[in-house]
Amino acid sequence: MAMLKLNQLTAGQEATVSYVMGDGPVSQRLLEMGMVPGASVKVTQLSPWGGPMMVNLDGYSLSLRSTEADLITLLS
Amino acid sequence: MKPAIAFLGNPNTGKTTLFNALTGLRQQVGNYPGVTVERKHGQLTTPHGVVELIDLPGTYSLAAQSPDEEVVANVLRGHQKGEQPLSGVVVIVDASNLKRNLYLVSQVLEVGLPTIVVLNMMDIAKRRGVTIDVTALEKRLGVPVIPMKANVGGGVTQLNAALMQVVAGQIKIPKPVGLRDPETGKWQSGRTDACGDHPIAQEAVARYNWIRGVLHGIVFQVPSTRSHFSDRLDKVLTHRVWGTVIFVIVMLFMFQAIYSWAGPLQDMIDNGVSALGEWVGSWMPSGVLKDLVQDGVIGGVGSVLVFLPQIVFLFLFIAFLEDCGYMARAAFLMDRLFARIGLSGKSFIPMLSSFACAIPGVMATRTIENRRDRFVTILVSPLMSCSARLPVYTLLIAAFVPSVTWMGGLLGFQGAMLFAMHALGFAVAIPIVWILKRTVLKGATPPFVMELPSYKMPSLKLVGWRALDRAKTFVQSAGTIILAMSVVIWALSYFPTADHNYFAMMGHAIEPLVKPLGWDWRIGMSVLAAFPAREVVIAAMATSFNVNVADGDDSSGILQALQNATWPDGAPLFGLAVAMSVMIFFALCCQCGATVAIIRRETNSWKWAGFAFAYMTILAYLAAAIVYQVMAYFGVGI
């Protein structure tokens, strides 16, 4: 089964976080900011050509790049 | 020793507004020894004596990733050099985003200090349909919880009372949250699957589980079908096309407004300075001392004070954009560009602040985690056109750029030129960053995980306070370094005789060096005199072109003198080409002793400070020469 990642969603789509991969500083910051299993996340704005995306994470706005969203696995 | 209480919280929780409300203007700002983290102290007078309040930098977690977070963690644990052990701690949380804000609270509760939680932005939470049972939350956290509205409307009395309880030792140390197994030391995340097996993930999961338990049944969210005002605004303001268009319009409007709104105030200051000069002239006996006071002191400082209104307006705009939440959106829009040259949108905020002044801009880089990325941002921040360059731009634009306006006076050629001068530094910074990131400060592109705070009405008090604070700094520097330089210039042009003075002699000596830029010795000396501080250039020009501001000539006297100035053969000295060459030199050159000093302090090395100074000076000279020579070749603006 292919895993669904946050950077595969399009604007307006919602999902539930499964887990964050890796144990580097970026993963740590994502976890601290609330990207934990069970958190609900909705893509609110996408910018083309590799620009950052804006998501609503449990009620607040967070920006992250596609490479960072690639660390976040979703429940499908 | 006075008892000390620290204020901490996530960024954008209104912590500083609250801190200012409690301490007023009695604050001391400095640095922690050995690190470049701001140490901000204020004092609160209570019936039980004076309490020392500490405003710690905004932080998401005590697991330190940046120098700021490391200091916060050390201060709380009483390990920070230059800080006494704390008597208590106040955590400010955003009620509209309680879940994530409680992450830091869960860490603070483990430190073992008497703790108060301020539940700020209750009004915003209410508007978002969130209701919180404060009494129940207080019981579950085991510490006092004080609800408060954004921009500090009420609740301050309650907080004051709670602070006094801390001082009196009436607040108990909270019970530890107890998220680790006391025997194994493992995080009690309730998960054993391999996916979240890292200790980092285990800790985050354990803390968020605790938060879910704390909030269960006491926080209610009314589900709404209408999206929030902030989200709807973001649909437009962060849109890839409209967002960018609006961003450019906001910037253009800002510069045109500075140009047209400050005028009347400037005239008032101008008249005041002239009147002061005349009054002094009316009773002082003629002689060297009178000339020194009238021309050197009043004329020199007065010609700079005239620009105070513009500087205050610029700071007001930047503080406003920062406080209403737009600055983070600008960083979001800019990230794509910054990622391409090897930085992140986070570097944009220090750069935009540098448009007011490079000193707060350089200090704002402290939120950038990676040292190399921080240094790159520091090195290009002084390229942004700060408010000290405004006097040169406004003077030369008023004198040599035609005042044509469009759209009923909303946009004008002069405003556009002012905008272009500000855009120049930013445009030049892009290739410089690209080169630095591939040579001396090589490194991978940093991440861009950033919170975008909800839009809010800015606290006019905070915005006004910040602009006032900057104005104070400007006047102080006008009073010291600018005054000193004005007196030096006056002395050089007064001795040995007014006709054969040292100022002119030095000027003639350097003229060959500045000739390629289209300048004569008078412009050359004015620019040279402005190397310690840019603002000096106006006083230096007044001296070079024989204008006596304090003798009753107002600053339009300088303007007319420049327009009428000629070469020895009678050809006009200034045209659009020479004006542009001077402005471009100012835009790109590092003519600021204070900036060099702050770069040395923030990078902890003279090498980087020297590097910034050298590359900017060479760049300024070459760019000014090229623009002048090209315009001269095509006969434009000569």
Side-chain angles (χ1 to χ4, degrees):
Chain A
M1 186 186 76
M3 285 183 302
L4 187 63
K5 305 260 191 74
L6 181 57
N7 61 355
Q8 291 165 327
L9 296 190
T10 57
Q13 280 191 307
E14 279 184 82
T16 304
V17 174
S18 172
Y19 63 93
V20 174
M21 295 190 292
D23 58 354
V26 179
S27 307
Q28 183 180 346
R29 181 50 31 109
L30 288 169
L31 284 158
E32 287 168 349
M33 298 296 271
M35 283 285 182
V36 288
S40 75
V41 56
K42 180 182 177 181
V43 178
T44 50
Q45 192 82 262
L46 280 179
S47 34
W49 310 300
M53 67 200 296
M54 199 191 281
V55 299
N56 189 301
L57 171 63
D58 273 333
Y60 80 95
S61 282
L62 185 76
S63 79
L64 68 170
R65 295 211 194 99
S66 178
T67 44
E68 290 137 23
D70 192 45
L71 295 171
I72 298 160
T73 308
L74 305 170
L75 290 179
S76 37
Chain B
M1 201 162 28
K2 281 171 276 186
I5 298 174
F7 279 53
L8 92 161
N10 286 182
N12 313 309
T13 49
K15 181 171 60 65
T16 300
T17 312
L18 182 58
F19 185 81
N20 287 346
L22 286 173
T23 59
L25 292 167
R26 290 153 297 170
Q27 298 183 355
Q28 301 105 48
V29 183
N31 255 352
Y32 284 103
V35 285
T36 55
V37 175
E38 193 179 71
R39 177 181 188 272
K40 203 165 134 198
H41 272 227
Q43 294 187 341
L44 178 72
T45 314
T46 72
H48 301 292
V50 177
V51 184
E52 195 79 18
L53 301 185
I54 306 165
D55 186 16
L56 292 171
T59 176
Y60 290 109
S61 162
L62 295 184
Q65 283 199 33
S66 71
D68 271 8
E69 291 174 342
E70 204 173 299
V71 164
V72 172
N74 285 341
V75 169
L76 285 189
R77 294 181 183 122
H79 297 158
Q80 179 60 46
K81 243 203 279 172
E83 202 68 85
Q84 65 187 86
L86 300 175
S87 306
V89 53
V90 178
V91 194
I92 291 95
V93 303
D94 176 358
S96 67
N97 185 10
L98 202 46
K99 203 169 175 183
R100 202 211 54 222
N101 276 260
L102 283 182
Y103 191 89
L104 182 65
V105 174
S106 81
Q107 292 176 322
V108 173
L109 291 178
E110 289 167 349
V111 176
L113 283 171
T115 305
I116 300 167
V117 170
V118 169
L119 205 51
N120 204 7
M121 317 225 186
M122 284 296 276
D123 47 338
I124 294 174
K126 198 172 158 197
R127 230 177 311 154
R128 297 198 146 215
V130 179
T131 43
I132 302 164
D133 183 343
V134 178
T135 327
L137 184 62
E138 202 163 48
K139 207 172 272 169
R140 288 194 189 169
L141 292 176
V143 299
V145 175
I146 298 164
M148 226 174 250
K149 282 182 190 164
N151 300 341
V152 202
V156 176
T157 337
Q158 235 183 312
L159 178 58
N160 263 322
L163 289 173
M164 260 174 270
Q165 281 184 296
V166 172
V167 177
Q170 289 164 350
I171 292 184
K172 283 179 296 183
I173 292 171
K175 260 204 331 246
V177 175
L179 296 175
R180 280 174 192 259
D181 188 301
E183 276 166 31
T184 61
K186 274 195 178 153
W187 292 98
Q188 296 180 333
S189 65
R191 281 171 69 104
T192 48
D193 53 329
C195 299
D197 213 13
H198 310 297
I200 290 166
Q202 295 284 351
E203 176 181 352
V205 171
R207 289 193 190 283
Y208 274 103
N209 280 345
W210 174 80
I211 292 165
R212 207 166 298 149
V214 167
L215 296 182
H216 183 74
I218 63 172
V219 173
F220 306 96
Q221 164 92 57
V222 180
S224 73
T225 43
R226 261 177 77 229
S227 55
H228 301 299
F229 173 70
S230 201
D231 299 338
R232 272 177 292 156
L233 208 54
D234 263 341
K235 280 222 153 52
V236 184
L237 292 184
T238 59
H239 189 270
R240 61 181 185 275
V241 179
W242 304 124
T244 315
V245 170
I246 291 168
F247 173 71
V248 173
I249 291 175
V250 167
M251 293 292 120
L252 258 173
F253 174 75
M254 180 168 106
F255 291 115
Q256 182 64 29
I258 288 168
Y259 203 68
S260 43
W261 294 355
L265 289 167
Q266 287 183 287
D267 291 342
M268 277 168 54
I269 295 179
D270 210 7
N271 294 336
V273 169
S274 302
L276 182 69
E278 275 169 45
W279 177 73
V280 167
S282 67
W283 58 264
M284 272 187 88
S286 302
V288 180
L289 195 65
K290 179 180 171 180
D291 292 345
L292 169 68
V293 171
Q294 224 179 357
D295 300 336
V297 178
I298 299 176
V301 176
S303 60
V304 174
L305 279 186
V306 168
F307 298 98
L308 187 61
Q310 291 181 331
I311 288 163
V312 171
F313 273 117
L314 185 59
F315 274 110
L316 276 176
F317 267 107
I318 291 201
F320 183 89
L321 291 180
E322 226 167 39
D323 206 41
C324 75
Y326 185 73
M327 215 61 134
R329 272 69 188 185
F332 177 81
L333 287 171
M334 287 292 161
D335 182 65
R336 202 175 76 215
L337 173 69
F338 276 77
R340 200 170 291 179
I341 56 175
L343 289 178
S344 87
K346 277 187 186 171
S347 292
F348 181 69
I349 297 171
M351 286 191 199
L352 199 54
S353 305
S354 296
F355 278 104
C357 174
I359 293 161
V362 167
M363 291 196 295
T365 61
R366 290 168 179 180
T367 52
I368 299 170
E369 288 94 351
N370 184 293
R371 181 183 149 271
R372 282 160 182 270
D373 297 328
R374 188 167 162 238
F375 280 18
V376 172
T377 313
I378 287 175
L379 290 175
V380 296
S381 285
L383 279 173
M384 306 306 128
S385 272
C386 64
S387 49
R389 279 133 158 147
L390 266 176
V392 182
Y393 297 158
T394 46
L395 180 67
L396 292 177
I397 288 173
F400 303 106
V401 176
S403 68
V404 189
T405 57
W406 306 286
M407 287 166 69
L410 208 60
L411 290 177
F413 191 26
Q414 295 187 324
M417 183 58 110
L418 191 60
F419 177 73
M421 280 301 137
H422 285 82
L424 176 71
F426 186 71
V428 169
I430 292 169
I432 303 271
V433 167
W434 193 88
I435 293 166
L436 290 174
K437 280 290 290 187
R438 272 150 197 86
T439 53
V440 282
L441 289 164
K442 212 182 276 189
T445 303
F448 186 59
V449 180
M450 189 187 73
E451 181 189 2
L452 295 140
S454 299
Y455 292 100
K456 65 172 170 67
M457 261 314 283
S459 148
L460 294 181
K461 238 184 181 166
L462 184 73
V463 168
W465 190 84
R466 245 187 263 169
L468 214 69
D469 191 48
R470 288 295 142 209
K472 208 175 80 188
T473 314
F474 175 77
V475 172
Q476 276 168 351
S477 72
T480 53
I481 193 163
I482 296 168
L483 172 66
M485 279 309 291
S486 302
V487 172
V488 168
I489 293 164
W490 171 85
L492 285 175
S493 64
Y494 197 85
F495 298 107
T497 67
D499 293 327
H500 282 281
N501 58 61
Y502 295 121
F503 194 77
M505 287 182 226
M506 287 166 74
H508 287 297
I510 63 153
E511 195 171 74
L513 201 65
V514 297
K515 208 72 181 276
L517 284 68
W519 306 353
D520 74 342
W521 69 269
R522 291 173 292 183
I523 305 176
M525 278 307 282
S526 305
V527 172
L528 191 66
F531 265 86
R534 294 182 177 92
E535 295 92 328
V536 172
V537 74
I538 302 297
M541 277 188 171
T543 303
S544 300
F545 293 93
N546 288 320
V547 185
N548 289 319
V549 179
D551 274 350
D553 285 1
D554 54 11
S555 74
S556 63
I558 300 178
L559 194 148
Q560 278 158 12
L562 295 184
Q563 282 171 331
N564 298 332
T566 57
W567 289 96
D569 65 1
L573 173 59
F574 272 95
L576 187 60
V578 171
M580 283 194 59
S581 135
V582 174
M583 287 195 287
I584 287 169
F585 189 90
F586 267 83
L588 301 178
C589 194
C590 187
Q591 291 172 298
C592 181
T595 300
V596 175
I598 196 91
I599 295 177
R600 197 219 74 87
R601 200 183 79 184
E602 297 290 305
T603 58
N604 208 10
S605 111
W606 278 113
K607 195 185 82 183
W608 288 117
F611 178 77
F613 178 78
Y615 98 81
M616 285 180 68
T617 306
I618 295 168
L619 193 69
Y621 186 87
L622 290 179
I626 289 169
V627 167
Y628 174 74
Q629 293 297 340
V630 168
M631 285 180 81
Y633 181 79
F634 290 103
V636 183
I638 296 297

